[in-house]
């Protein structure tokens, strides 16, 4: 149990286009999901906290108009990178917070999405 | 604000040798502590976690960690490593009582390389 998927796993796009990344909790409901960004050989940096049915909470320095987050259901959160530029190239990882069924206080991570902006 | 320091960016070790990956944290309140492993181009997998209770925590793949409150440390250990343990290891800390306040702060990671 407690599987989180991300789609796509890898995407290459041209500068100026928008890219949507999906994060799904497959066998549990997640009222809270998190989006992280990881540069090569570096740690994960929290970008935002996504709560089902409400606006996301962004960390300091993260542009909310550039990184649009939607958490429309208890199993799906999406991150849209708008007008992507080469500096947005990174590994984006989501996690879903389990709050019941033995998953208390644990985040379950997706496999990540590698974004390359040309 | 909480922070996590992983003192070693890289740890090379021979197969079947013991290993310790160090992690220190700073926080003004009680914390939850975690160790995650990341294989190349993959997400994170939880190795073990400390929430409360016994300070010695056992996890998957033969790993264990000990929470030391006085030294604010949560070092990860394995008595005998395998080639397959080669990966990046992240220590993480969480403040708060859960729910939407449950935000993780990660260390910079330690690359464990197990050589034959």
């Amino acid at each position: 149990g407690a599987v989180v998927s991300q789609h796509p796993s890898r995407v290459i796009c041209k500068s100026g286009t928008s890219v949507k990344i999906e994060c799904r909790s497959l066998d549990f409901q997640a009222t809270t999901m998190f989006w992280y960004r990881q540069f090569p050989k570096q740690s994960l940096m929290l970008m935002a906290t996504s709560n089902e049915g409400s606006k996301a909470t962004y960390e300091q320095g993260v542009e909310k108009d550039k990184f649009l987050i939607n958490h429309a259901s208890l199993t799906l959160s999406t991150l849209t990178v708008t007008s992507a530029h080469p500096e947005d190239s990174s590994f984006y990882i989501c996690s879903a917070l389990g709050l019941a069924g033995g998953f208390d206080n644990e985040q379950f991570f997706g496999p990540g999405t590698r974004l390359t902006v040309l | 604000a909480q922070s996590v320091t992983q003192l070693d960016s890289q740890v090379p070790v021979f197969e079947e040798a013991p290993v310790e990956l160090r992690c220190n944290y700073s926080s003004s309140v009680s914390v939850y502590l975690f160790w995650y492993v990341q294989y190349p181009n993959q997400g994170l997998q939880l190795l073990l976690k400390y929430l409360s209770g016994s300070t010695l925590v056992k996890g998957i793949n033969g790993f264990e960690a000990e929470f030391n409150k006085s030294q604010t440390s949560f070092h990860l250990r394995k008595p005998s490593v395998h080639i397959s343990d080669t990966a990046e290891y992240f220590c993480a800390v969480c403040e708060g009582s859960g729910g939407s306040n449950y935000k993780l702060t990660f260390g910079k990671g330690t690359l464990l390389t197990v050589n034959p």
Side-chain angles (χ1 to χ4, degrees), chain A residues 4 6 21 23 32-39 42-50 57-59 62 67 69 77-79 81 88-97 105-115, chain B residues 2 34 36 38 42-44 90-95 99-107:
Chain A
V4 175
Q6 278 185 245
I21 303 170
C23 177
T32 302
M33 292 183 174
F34 300 88
W35 286 96
Y36 296 86
R37 184 173 181 177
Q38 185 180 31
F39 290 104
Q42 294 190 30
S43 189
L44 281 75
M45 298 299 295
L46 179 65
M47 298 174 66
T49 303
S50 169
T57 303
Y58 291 82
E59 295 300 301
V62 177
F67 298 100
I69 292 173
S77 176
T78 60
L79 168 68
V81 183
D88 298 323
S89 298
S90 189
F91 194 51
Y92 292 87
I93 302 176
C94 73
S95 71
L97 180 64
N105 301 311
E106 182 173 344
Q107 290 186 29
F108 297 94
F109 286 82
T113 296
R114 173 76 59 194
L115 171 63
Chain B
Q2 59 200 27
F34 305 80
Y36 289 90
Q38 184 181 34
Q42 295 186 29
L44 273 68
F90 292 97
C91 180
V93 63
C94 167
E95 288 181 351
S100 60
N101 294 322
Y102 185 74
K103 296 197 298 185
L104 288 172
T105 299
F106 285 88

Side-chain angles (χ1 to χ4, degrees), chain B residues 78-96:
Chain B
K78 186 170 182 177
S80 176
V81 294
H82 302 287
I83 298 284
S84 59
D85 292 322
T86 295
E88 190 85 30
Y89 291 80
F90 292 97
C91 180
V93 63
C94 167
E95 288 181 351

Side-chain angles (χ1 to χ4, degrees), chain B residues 39-78:
Chain B
Y39 299 100
N41 294 311
Q42 295 186 29
L44 273 68
Q45 180 182 6
L46 180 67
L47 280 177
L48 47 80
K49 60 185 176 183
Y50 171 79
L51 303 181
S52 64
S54 174
T55 57
L56 182 62
V57 180
K58 294 189 182 297
I60 64 171
N61 301 341
F63 285 94
E64 64 180 32
E66 186 159 17
F67 170 56
N68 188 318
K69 187 174 182 179
S70 63
Q71 296 185 7
T72 60
S73 68
F74 191 55
H75 301 332
L76 180 71
R77 302 185 184 98
K78 186 170 182 177

